[in-house]
Amino acid sequence: MPQFDNSYARLPDQFYSRVEPDPVPSPEIILFNTELAQMLGVSDWAERPDILTGNTLPEGAEPIAQVYAAHQFGGWVPRLGDGRAIMLGEVVTDQGRFDIQLKGAGRTPYSRNGDGRNWLGPVLREYIVSEFMAAMDVPTTRALAATATGAKVQREQAYPGGVITRVAASHIRVGTFQYFAARSDTEAVKQLVDHVRMRHFAGAVGTIGVYEAIVAAQAKLIAKWMGLGFVHGVMNTDNMAVSGETIDYGPCAFIDGYAANAVYSSIDRNGRYAFDQQSNIAGWNLAQLGSSLVLLLAEELGSQETAVEVLTQTLNAFPALFQAEWQAVFCAKLGISTPQDGDVELAQELLNLMDKERADFTNVFAGLGTQVARDEFVDRDAFDQWHAKWQTRLKDEANSAQLMAQSNPKLIPRTHRLEQAIQAAVAGDFAPAKRLARVLSTPTHLDETDTDLTRPPLAHEVVPNTFCGT
Ligand code: AMP
Ligand code: MG
């Protein structure tokens, strides 16, 4: 039995709306995360598609939709909220407290013109990608289940509907703070800060301590994304969780042939959320969060001027924090456990070579030290020169092979494979999606039978753009 204890639903009414999931005709489980279910105490839900789609409420659930605001592509939206997601509540486990949310369970007061529904494409994509991220030790929301609803969902055409059961440390976003700050509701901002401290940053002292912790968590997170060639695609402030987890897998993608400025999302026309912009944008989003905390911190510190100064100082630490995390991530990818001067340049030099030739990001790193990596380059001389330098550096390292094996996945959720799996699912064949989910749950391990999944897309398989798929 899951132990529900819904602390967010005990916050004042203005934080959310109470809602009811809209029943679906014939729920059917496609993917179920047995391990995660066990941790949450919901193993019996493996046979309960009715719970996973919202047709039946589990005992202790108090379904709500959270309200938030956002900067979307830099433009201010004063009121958004869970338009196609319904939170069942929080489950308390020996590993902490987790939100369980049904994405695609029907309309809420925040749905605007949307139908509150989801279809199998985004459902399967989020399941597979978020579980891959978890397997690579990247903070992320998790996927408990992907369920087909039996209803059609109208997008560019009619697609089979689906629900993803999402699990998160919390769903509180930068935009949640912005919503209350924009209303000058300092009391609500204070309640939110206290709530976030309780859920994520128990040791943090004062509002500034919570802000510092959020800044540090984002530095760590974005560095991890960079290490996997991950492009989130829509880093609006409503899609940045203050817990430091990756949230909202919409038009995201992993880079095949490396380009530092890669953009995939069809809605990101100006490359605001390009691969190499992600730390800058995280900083921009954190600045918005900082602004949302000014009035509260001013109350704590006695002056608005001091509050702004302290927040700015904390924000200004972000680039260096990110740089240190980036260094650690890329050193590990190169088999270097204790970074030294010159390591950043060594990593950057390889990335520059890769960028020049659009070398496959995943296969180069996974193949370093073997012919596989070398084969990715046409300019072998340039690569060999780099390789010799790298080998010299590795003489100081003891466990480089093991470190590299852990840090460089052999398999990633390549966009064309996701697309193929989604197309098959739409046609009623769930086997490719199941295969991807299974294989990508151990991405540093490659069975001989799965080598086809390491291949970058052929010309006709390239998916040039990814879509929100809402
Ligand atoms: P996103 O950029 O996908 O995170 O979505 C932005 C906002 O639009 C969020 O508040 C969503 O809840 C809402 N939204 C997206 N798709 C739908 C939909 N199909 N129905 C209702 N609301 C939606
Ligand atoms: Mg969102």
Side-chain angles (χ1 to χ4, degrees):
M1 275 281 279
Q3 295 302 313
F4 275 99
D5 176 58
N6 309 318
S7 64
Y8 201 88
R10 289 195 292 270
L11 290 170
D13 290 352
Q14 85 237 48
F15 282 80
Y16 52 82
S17 300
R18 296 199 185 268
V19 291
E20 292 283 331
D22 224 354
V24 301
S26 49
E28 181 196 341
I29 296 173
I30 302 171
L31 298 169
F32 187 79
N33 192 334
T34 310
E35 227 170 280
L36 183 62
Q38 198 167 9
M39 192 272 277
L40 295 168
V42 297
S43 294
D44 58 315
W45 291 7
E47 318 291 335
R48 298 299 302 273
D50 57 325
I51 290 181
L52 296 167
T53 46
N55 281 16
T56 307
L57 286 178
E59 201 181 315
E62 289 175 86
I64 58 169
Q66 295 179 338
V67 69
Y68 44 85
H71 278 98
Q72 296 191 314
F73 292 93
W76 173 242
V77 187
R79 187 171 179 270
L80 279 167
D82 295 331
R84 65 174 151 170
I86 292 177
M87 179 142 97
L88 289 181
E90 299 152 38
V91 167
V92 178
T93 76
D94 54 11
Q95 295 192 40
R97 175 184 290 271
F98 296 94
D99 283 0
I100 300 186
Q101 195 196 58
L102 306 178
K103 200 167 168 186
R107 287 178 54 80
T108 76
Y110 314 109
S111 298
R112 297 177 291 173
N113 297 322
D115 57 4
R117 292 299 184 191
N118 216 335
W119 65 277
L120 285 187
V123 167
L124 295 173
R125 174 189 293 270
E126 175 160 344
Y127 188 109
I128 293 165
V129 176
S130 66
E131 284 305 302
F132 163 80
M133 295 289 253
M136 285 309 300
D137 219 15
V138 181
T140 179
T141 61
R142 301 291 305 269
L144 178 62
T147 315
T149 61
K152 289 283 183 204
V153 170
Q154 191 60 41
R155 296 294 180 260
E156 314 86 68
Q157 61 183 80
Y159 288 113
V163 171
I164 179 157
T165 310
R166 178 160 80 176
V167 174
S170 86
H171 283 85
I172 300 160
R173 304 141 195 273
V174 168
T176 319
F177 282 90
Q178 289 181 292
Y179 177 83
F180 295 107
R183 282 154 187 78
S184 304
D185 189 344
T186 308
E187 181 53 30
V189 174
K190 181 177 182 340
Q191 286 171 315
L192 204 52
V193 167
D194 290 342
H195 188 83
V196 165
R197 180 187 295 108
M198 180 274 285
R199 294 192 65 168
H200 308 302
F201 308 114
V205 178
T207 293
I208 195 65
V210 171
Y211 186 55
E212 274 167 11
I214 294 171
V215 168
Q218 286 302 324
K220 204 173 238 140
L221 178 66
I222 310 295
K224 290 202 174 211
W225 289 0
M226 302 307 279
L228 293 176
F230 177 72
V231 186
H232 182 285
V234 58
M235 290 176 69
N236 294 331
T237 57
D238 58 321
N239 293 337
M240 185 187 266
V242 296
S243 64
E245 289 184 341
T246 314
I247 192 170
D248 277 0
Y249 293 88
C252 62
F254 294 84
I255 293 180
D256 294 300
Y258 182 63
N261 59 0
V263 177
Y264 295 95
S265 164
S266 59
I267 52 174
D268 188 6
R269 292 201 184 83
N270 301 314
R272 179 180 168 91
Y273 302 137
F275 180 68
D276 60 0
Q277 291 304 308
Q278 296 186 114
S279 65
N280 291 338
I281 282 293
W284 193 91
N285 289 347
L286 289 168
Q288 308 314 311
L289 177 63
S291 305
S292 304
L293 300 175
V294 169
L295 290 182
L296 173 61
L297 195 61
E299 280 181 10
E300 284 173 28
L301 301 180
S303 116
Q304 189 153 326
E305 208 182 338
T306 316
V308 170
E309 202 178 292
V310 173
L311 286 163
T312 307
Q313 243 171 35
T314 304
L315 179 65
N316 286 348
F318 177 73
L321 285 174
F322 169 72
Q323 198 49 46
E325 299 288 351
W326 189 97
Q327 182 182 32
V329 165
F330 277 83
C331 278
K333 291 179 79 64
L334 295 180
I336 299 167
S337 57
T338 21
Q340 296 175 3
D341 281 355
D343 288 344
V344 168
E345 290 75 11
L346 186 70
Q348 194 55 57
E349 212 177 298
L350 176 61
L351 289 170
N352 291 347
L353 291 178
M354 290 165 60
D355 195 322
K356 222 185 257 171
E357 301 207 19
R358 297 287 180 265
D360 187 81
F361 186 89
T362 304
N363 292 346
V364 167
F365 280 105
L368 278 181
T370 74
Q371 189 62 27
V372 176
R374 191 168 186 263
D375 284 345
E376 283 289 330
F377 295 88
V378 178
D379 187 349
R380 298 279 157 88
D381 286 348
F383 179 74
D384 288 345
Q385 275 177 26
W386 178 85
H387 195 269
K389 242 191 268 183
W390 173 55
Q391 285 299 309
T392 307
R393 172 65 181 86
L394 281 192
K395 291 209 174 87
D396 302 340
E397 291 288 332
N399 290 321
S400 56
Q402 197 193 341
L403 187 56
M404 288 173 67
Q406 287 166 8
S407 312
N408 297 310
K410 296 192 172 68
L411 295 161
I412 55 161
R414 291 189 187 264
T415 302
H416 68 293
R417 290 298 185 182
L418 289 170
E419 191 58 35
Q420 290 164 7
I422 290 166
Q423 279 178 21
V426 167
D429 175 11
F430 300 141
K434 286 183 178 177
R435 180 187 179 211
L436 283 184
R438 175 175 49 78
V439 165
L440 289 168
S441 67
T442 53
T444 56
H445 172 83
L446 179 64
D447 279 334
E448 221 152 276
T449 47
D450 296 318
T451 48
D452 59 310
L453 297 178
T454 66
R455 184 173 55 68
L458 301 171
H460 72 276
E461 293 175 316
V462 171
V463 182
N465 278 316
T466 51
F467 300 88
C468 253
T470 58

